Structure formats: C-alpha cells, structure tokens
Amino acid sequence: GIFFLLGSFFTFSASAQSCVAERVARVRRGQQSAGVKSLQECLITFGYSIPAGATGYYGVQTQNAIKEFYRIVFNLAHTGDYIGPQGVGIWKNLVKGSEFGGGTDGLQKVTSKEDIQAYLLVGNQARNTYLKGGIVGGPMLSDMAGRGASEQALSKSSPMPSRVSNTNVQVKGIDAPDVVKTDGENIYISRSPAYIMETLMDPSGRHGHYPQQVIAETSVMKAFPPSDLAAIGKISAEGDLLLIKDKKILVIFSNASQEIFGYDIIDPKNPVKKWTMKLEDNTALLNSRLANGKIYLVARQYIDYTDPCPIKPLSLNGSPIIIPCVEIYRPGRVIPTDVTYTAFILDPATGTIEKKLSFLGSTEDSVLYMSPNALYVTYYSPEDPARVQIAVLLGDARSLFPASVIERIEKLNSYDISDTAKLTELQTIIENHTRTLSRDDAMRLENELANKTNLYIKAHVRELAKTTIVKIGLTDFAIAKTGSVPGYLLNQFAMDEYNGNLRIAVTIGGRFW
C-alpha cells in the first residue's frame, strides 16, 4: 500500500513490530536467529523498509535497511553486510529517544550524554522523514549585510574629525564586523587574498600575462589630517574587523585560517598580537557584535552524532574551551538538528571567555541580531510530517476511511510519544486498511488523499515551516525566551527591537511548494 504525503510517496512496512533494544545482537548477512529477528523488528519499528517483515533471516532486504541505518545515524557508507557493536549499542538510545513526547518550541537542559544521544538519534530519523516527505529547508540564508562605510565631509580647518562613524551598524551603540574600521586618526583596511594579472618577460624574452598573488593582510593608514595620508603599518592577517577604540584593540576574524586575533594597536605602526582564538574542526562563526567594550559572538559546530558532547568549539592560545553535556540545551520537541550553537561573551583585551551558552539547532535560516538588551539567534524549525498526516486524516480525509480506522488514528494521536514513533504506527494503520481494498479502490484512495493533502498544505502554509527564535538576555547571559514564527527571515535586518518588543519581517511560502 502507498500513502501520499506532502508531494511524496511512502511505502509502508508489512506489519508493525515492537523494538526491544536489549535483544538486538551483532549479526551478519546469511544468519537466521532470534538476534536477527530482534534487529529486524527494531528496524521496521523505526521506519526502515523490510517488506518481508521480521522473518529472522538476514537477507538482501535487511542488508539494504542496515545500509540506510548507518547512513542516517552515522553518516557512513556501509555495506550493510553486518551490524557491529557500535550499531548494536545505538538502539538503546534510539528506543529511549522515541519516548520523547510532542514537546514545545522551548529549550530544555540536557540531563546526560545519553539524553542528548537519544534526542539526536530520533531527530535524525525525523530528518530522514522530512527529506522523504519534501519538508526540507531551502538553501541556507547567509547573515551577510551589504557592506559600506558612511562618508563624512572633512574640514580643512580641522586636523581631526569631530565625529567618527562606525561601519555596517544596524543598532545604535552596537558595532558589527566590517573590512574597514577607523578610530578617527587611522584607518584599518582588510584585504582578502586575490590574484592580479601582470605582464612579465619570460626567460626567452617573450612577454606574457601571469597571475601574481596579492598577499592577504590588514593595512594601517594614517588618514587624518588628510595631508598626512600614508601607509604606516600592516598586519599579516585579513578578515572582518572590530575596533575597540578606548582599549586600543583591533580584533580580526580571519576567513582564511578560521582564527580570531586580538592586536594591541597603541602603536599603530607596530601592532602586537595579544591573543589567538582558533575555531575547531566543523566549527564556523555565525557572526559577532561589539557592545559596551565586550565582544558577543556566536559559533556553530556540526554535531558528531556518535560522540555529540562535550563539545570544543574554540581554543584560546592553544587551550580548548570545553562545554560539558549537561550545559547544553536542546529543543523541547524533536526536530532535525545538525549543529550546536554556542554564544560567548569575550574580553577583547585578553581573549578571555567570560560567559558561554550552548543549544542544539539547525543550520538553515541561521540569523544573529543583537539589541541593547538581548542577543537573538534563529534557525529553521519545520512541522513534523506525522502531525500534518494526522491533521489531514482527521480532517478533510476523514470521510475516506471507515470509523474503525479513524478511531485508531484518534487513539494514536492521544499518545504522549514522539512524532516519529506516531508516524511509524500511523503507516501501519493505513497499510492494514489499504490491504483490504481492491487495486482500483487503493489507487482511488491514493489520488483523493493526494488532492486533500495538497489542499491542506495551501491552507496551512503558515504552520508547515517555522523559524525558531532564541532570546539570550545580556545581563545574566541565559535563555530568556524561546518561540517560533511562521516562514523564514531574509537576514538580520528582518529583525529589530522596539520598546522591548521584537519585531520580525518574515516570508511565508515560495520555498518548498
């Protein structure tokens, strides 16, 4: 039987099974045993296709299911010929994770490494469901604003400007990184590595065009008064800049080396490196801000599903910044998560981390906005296919099924289990019903369900793709609130705060259907 959901077809398993993780054992292709049957029951329970059911024989169908299991859970290419000790051990956490209830959009503290592993495993299952069902985020939106410096007319009668503008500023009093910064006397300009074509003579005397690399660096220009304009120094690093004027510190976010440098510029002609912060493997900087003499930055690190915590997103002068499992937050409801966000308060004079906060999320639609009162981080948070599927079946599609089927769906909907587990049971309910129909009636059911599902999507587009917003208070640097809005944000300029209220401009629809 086949059930249409959100533009894709799902092929259902032959029968529902009960997964007992403790019975799963190391087995290989060709074996026939109770251990194989237990493995098959768990695979089927969590939505992996074994059309013949839990027969106890490890054949091609089980091999293909194991291939898919290792791909989804471990992101590994696997032959599927066997399941090893790591694969066996994962089922306990997967079964534990399936017991997570529907939850809310809020964040809650992780209680242990096992807790986060269980959550991530079920989230991975959910991610696979979204990919099959077509509820997939579009290309990640970059939190990049247009660059440009404010121009100011200079008076020849005044050797120094009376006012110096910050660059790329969205909120008054909060500076953002840019490739040009000035303290009113000197200008700091970052140059990315590039190639220029030069005409040179080769050994045979012939002229030709040859690429010459321009070295990446940050130049220091004496700019005021204008009559003294000259290059006076340079730093062998490039990237976006933040300038802490009162402390005479220039911070460089190097794109090339994935490092952050703090330079003492008391003597602009001879900048002195004070500290180095390194972004660790699979870590990227989302963005940063400067306010009240402190740097606020947010990094995101891709999750290692086999060993998700503790995490080490950064190292300072060679010493890693370690965040234990129990200091990480996770979403209250199961959603596909692939990164851990960590927000930091950084002392620019020493590079010291004063405060930090970590939580799980997804890379899609990551945006950072900062107001004088809070730091806001957003990420994509799709609706679960099980909720959509149940809503269709108990809504406009109710008349397509007998009362006994609807009663079972309503009972399933009342259970406090994960949406992923509900989806598996729901597929079994529909499968059992479609097996009782003739081929023509089954095809007619598929078509009518497809039409009603499409109508549901059009009517509920605001509910199907959401953006989660995490608000971090600046006073205690703790999670103040978490909520969600329909649609997605274009960039940081889609948010602002007015009289303590966050205002958001969102786009709904147009990305997925």
Side-chain angles (χ1 to χ4, degrees), residues 97-102 122 334 386 415-423:
S98 70
E99 297 170 357
F100 290 131
V122 176
V334 176
Y415 292 157
D416 186 21
I417 58 176
S418 74
D419 290 325
T420 305
K422 282 185 180 181
L423 184 61

Side-chain angles (χ1 to χ4, degrees), residues 17 54 59 69 87 107 128 159 168 193 210 214 229 248 323 339 384-385 391 435 439 442 455 469 478 506:
Q17 305 292 338
F69 170 73
L107 296 175
N128 184 54
N168 196 26
Y210 301 93
V214 176
L229 180 65
K248 300 293 183 180
I323 300 171
V339 292
D384 193 277
R435 286 164 57 188
R439 181 176 180 82
L455 290 173
I469 305 169
V506 297

Side-chain angles (χ1 to χ4, degrees), residues 163 254 488:
R163 180 175 64 86
S254 175
Y488 61 95

Side-chain angles (χ1 to χ4, degrees), residues 423-498:
L423 184 61
T424 301
E425 295 300 320
L426 186 61
Q427 290 173 346
T428 302
I429 293 172
I430 303 303
E431 167 67 14
N432 289 339
H433 172 65
T434 56
R435 286 164 57 188
T436 67
L437 303 177
S438 67
R439 181 176 180 82
D440 288 344
D441 286 343
M443 290 297 296
R444 188 178 300 108
L445 177 62
E446 291 172 17
N447 292 332
E448 293 188 18
L449 280 174
N451 293 333
K452 293 184 181 299
T453 300
N454 287 329
L455 290 173
Y456 181 89
I457 290 172
K458 292 179 181 179
H460 298 83
V461 65
R462 292 174 59 90
E463 304 164 19
L464 298 181
K466 298 180 181 180
T467 296
T468 292
I469 305 169
V470 179
K471 178 180 180 180
I472 303 171
L474 299 186
T475 302
D476 55 1
F477 213 61
I479 294 174
K481 291 182 180 179
T482 305
S484 64
V485 294
Y488 61 95
L489 284 67
L490 180 61
N491 55 33
Q492 69 193 53
F493 296 97
M495 292 189 287
D496 79 339
E497 193 177 76
Y498 181 73

